[in-house]
Amino acid sequence: MRLDKFICKSTELTRTEAKKLLKKGEVRVNGEVIKNPAFQVHANNDITLDGQSLIARESRYIMLNKPMDFICSNVDEVYPSVLHLLEIDKAFDLHIAGRLDADTTGLILITDDGRWSHNIISPKKDCAKTYRVWLRDDINSEQQQTLIEQFQQGIQLHGEKQLTKPALLNIIGPDQVLLTITEGKYHQVKRMFAAVGNKVVGLHREQIGKIKLDKSLSLGQWRFLTQTEVESFALT
Ligand code: URA
């Protein structure tokens, strides 16, 4: 991890304050003064500030049931960031592992462990995400099998060179399906249904990898992940 990030994780200092201390030469790594905020440090390094050893806080891992009209960004735009919903110390030091649109609800994972979130975000990891989708047009029984096969074989999205990766479509009712995809292209689920002539009118994420949205969390509520949930990504 970067040295300035390590200082934030082990003190109450902000990134700017940490950088100022580094510039002043007050931080040593294994006895040597280091001024570069991007210097990479590891758990076994001896890092001192003003002669005091620093110990980084444990990483944080959170699931949140995202309500509508919040955005998955660390900066507020037209809508506020979901990080406002956490009401914990240094919430804005965390980042969101896999975004949802402002009008999408459901499971988001939030952490300060970039290596962990890489398992979710990296296109190479093929992390499965399951969405409950409400559609404008009913899917009749004759269309069902064709649609399942189309999603399985890949959909040609407008403006994309390659077909979407195989997706699993599970028909729940005439206008409701569960869709599992392993990619995270911009507006992917909405664009997949647009490509087959339908329209998504409601979208809710229920699962990421093996982590299921806790049914006891109402929209806007959150909890820390269990050890097993955290490790479900560390081990994949
Ligand atoms: N696909 C979308 O179209 N929107 C989301 O928020 C997530 C997946």
Side-chain angles (χ1 to χ4, degrees), residues 99-101 104 131 181 185-191 203 205:
R99 296 173 173 216
L100 292 178
D101 299 334
T104 303
Y131 296 85
I181 57 174
K185 292 197 169 76
Y186 182 64
H187 293 333
Q188 177 149 350
V189 177
K190 291 173 185 162
R191 289 164 71 205
L203 190 55
R205 186 156 63 195

Side-chain angles (χ1 to χ4, degrees), residues 4 51 71 77 84 120-121 126 137 158 172 231 235:
D4 56 353
I71 53 164
E77 289 167 25
H84 288 291
I120 299 167
I121 301 164
D126 284 338
D137 303 329
H158 187 71
I172 306 295
E231 285 172 3
L235 300 174

